[in-house]
Structures are given as C-alpha cells and as structure tokens.
Amino acid sequence: LQFIKNHPPSLLLRGKMLLAEKKNVPALASLKPAAEANPLPEYEWALAEAYRANDQIAEAEKVEANLTRKGVADDPRTLALFLATRRKETALALKLAQAELENRRDVFTHDAFAWAALAAGRVAEARAHAKSALAEGTVDARLFLHAGVIAAAAGGSEEAARYFQKATALQQMLLPSERDELYQTTKSLARDSNSPEGNSDRKESSDFKSKKQ
C-alpha cells in the first residue's frame, strides 16, 4: 500500500487481518474501498462479514444481495462457497460448483464442490472431493476447515480433529463466520468425544444445515 495506494488486494488482505483482530471499524475502512474498486464476490463477502461484525446488518444484507445477484456471472465458485456457508440456495451452490469443476479441476474448485455437496446433504461426495482438495498439500485455512467439518459429518472424528488443528493455526485468514464455524464444530466434536456414547453418537449432515451462522 505504500507503493500502490488503495491497492484492492492489499486492502482486502489488511481488512481480513483487522477482522481477525476484532478491529471492525478499521476493517471496514479497508474493505469498503477494496469492494468499491473490485466489486467481486470475494471482496463483497468480506465486506458483508465486516458489516455483520460491526452490527450493521442492513448494510451487510444489501452487500450480500448484490453479491448473490451478480456472483453467477462474476465469480460462480466464490458464490457457491458463500451460499454453502450461509446454507442458502444449496441446489444453486451445487450447480455452480459442478459447472466450475467441469472447467477447472484445481484444489479450490474441488473444495467448493465438496462444501456445496455437504450443504446439499451429499456427504460421501463431499468427503471424496475434500480429499482431492488436499491432495496437493496446499496449506489453506479454508481448505482445512471444510475438510474438518466434512470429516466430522461423516463420523471421522480423529480426522476432523487433525484438520481443525491445522485450520486453527491459520484462523486469522478465515472470515468471522468461518472462525465461528471452526469454534462451534470443534467444540461439538470435543463434547461428542467426551460423551458416554463415545464416537458412536455422530452428527449427520442434516445437523450441518441447521447450525446458526
């Protein structure tokens, strides 16, 4: 930012790190101009999260409505991730992720399909694509978070715990709702592991859909 004033990717990154530090107002000061310069789903999602973190719900909903309206054309993969994270329009999220997977079979597209498949209740497909997303050893907080939630939904508590540990080490790169997902699912996993039933009482994918964002 010292070399290129108001550089959108740098503003986005700074805004996300400020959100991780719960500095919501300074985060908004970075994310608003970033989204204005690059009105793409990745930027608008982060801006909406900042508004929500700052209890500006109406502003967040306005940004999210624009993201949803334009995302199909602008960035369908990120829109699929957003919808799956919000547990909204899961059929559309899966359709978008499937179309993206036919065009580019990289790790992030496998992850998007896995996340959308889980939101749609297709746990076996989600798990298979989550493994593909991690096959190249990419170190990414969102990939680890999604893999952990999917493993937990499939009953793989030990596998989920390993992924959650990796996601926690990089949690500053997650959006607030994703960090909440990480915290809530990790807490639930620990509670289930300590229950008298042990590992037999596992939450299925239907529980995933009902969690509060």
Side-chain angles (χ1 to χ4, degrees):
L1 288 169
Q2 291 178 347
F3 286 103
I4 306 176
K5 186 177 180 180
N6 295 325
H7 181 235
S10 299
L11 289 172
L12 174 65
L13 182 58
R14 184 172 70 179
K16 290 174 70 174
M17 289 189 290
L18 287 167
L19 277 179
E21 296 177 344
K22 300 187 185 303
K23 297 178 180 178
N24 302 328
V25 174
L28 279 168
S30 280
L31 293 170
K32 286 176 68 176
E36 288 171 358
N38 276 1
L40 299 171
E42 180 183 6
Y43 289 76
E44 292 184 326
W45 186 359
L47 177 59
E49 294 263 351
Y51 276 131
R52 286 188 178 277
N54 204 45
D55 293 325
Q56 295 177 252
I57 306 304
E59 288 86 347
E61 290 177 345
K62 181 179 179 181
V63 173
E64 289 170 353
N66 189 62
L67 186 167
T68 303
R69 183 174 62 253
K70 296 173 57 184
V72 173
D74 291 345
D75 185 353
R77 184 173 70 187
T78 299
L79 177 58
L81 284 169
F82 171 77
L83 293 174
T85 300
R86 290 288 190 267
R87 283 67 156 176
K88 293 169 54 179
E89 299 186 56
T90 55
L92 174 59
L94 192 60
K95 179 181 178 181
L96 293 172
Q98 178 65 63
E100 285 291 281
L101 197 61
E102 292 171 1
N103 294 322
R104 47 178 179 173
R105 302 186 68 85
D106 59 274
V107 297
F108 295 106
T109 309
H110 278 291
D111 172 66
F113 184 86
W115 198 232
L118 181 64
R122 294 160 63 166
V123 180
E125 284 182 89
R127 199 170 196 188
H129 284 274
K131 290 183 181 299
S132 295
L134 295 172
E136 296 181 14
T138 304
V139 178
D140 182 89
R142 181 176 282 168
L143 296 187
F144 293 140
L145 168 64
H146 291 174
V149 175
I150 290 167
S157 58
E158 292 183 2
E159 180 183 354
R162 290 196 299 271
Y163 290 138
F164 288 147
Q165 185 176 27
K166 292 180 178 182
T168 299
L170 301 167
Q171 63 180 301
Q172 70 274 13
M173 299 312 299
L174 295 171
L175 294 169
S177 66
E178 294 174 313
R179 287 196 300 276
D180 182 62
E181 178 87 49
L182 175 62
Y183 172 76
Q184 295 295 340
T185 314
T186 302
K187 183 179 178 181
S188 177
L189 190 67
R191 183 175 63 247
D192 290 347
S193 297
N194 293 327
S195 70
E197 293 79 6
N199 292 331
S200 62
D201 183 19
R202 289 292 157 220
K203 293 184 180 294
E204 298 298 331
S205 60
S206 59
D207 294 318
F208 171 84
K209 292 182 181 180
S210 64
K211 285 181 184 177
K212 180 180 178 182
Q213 283 302 291

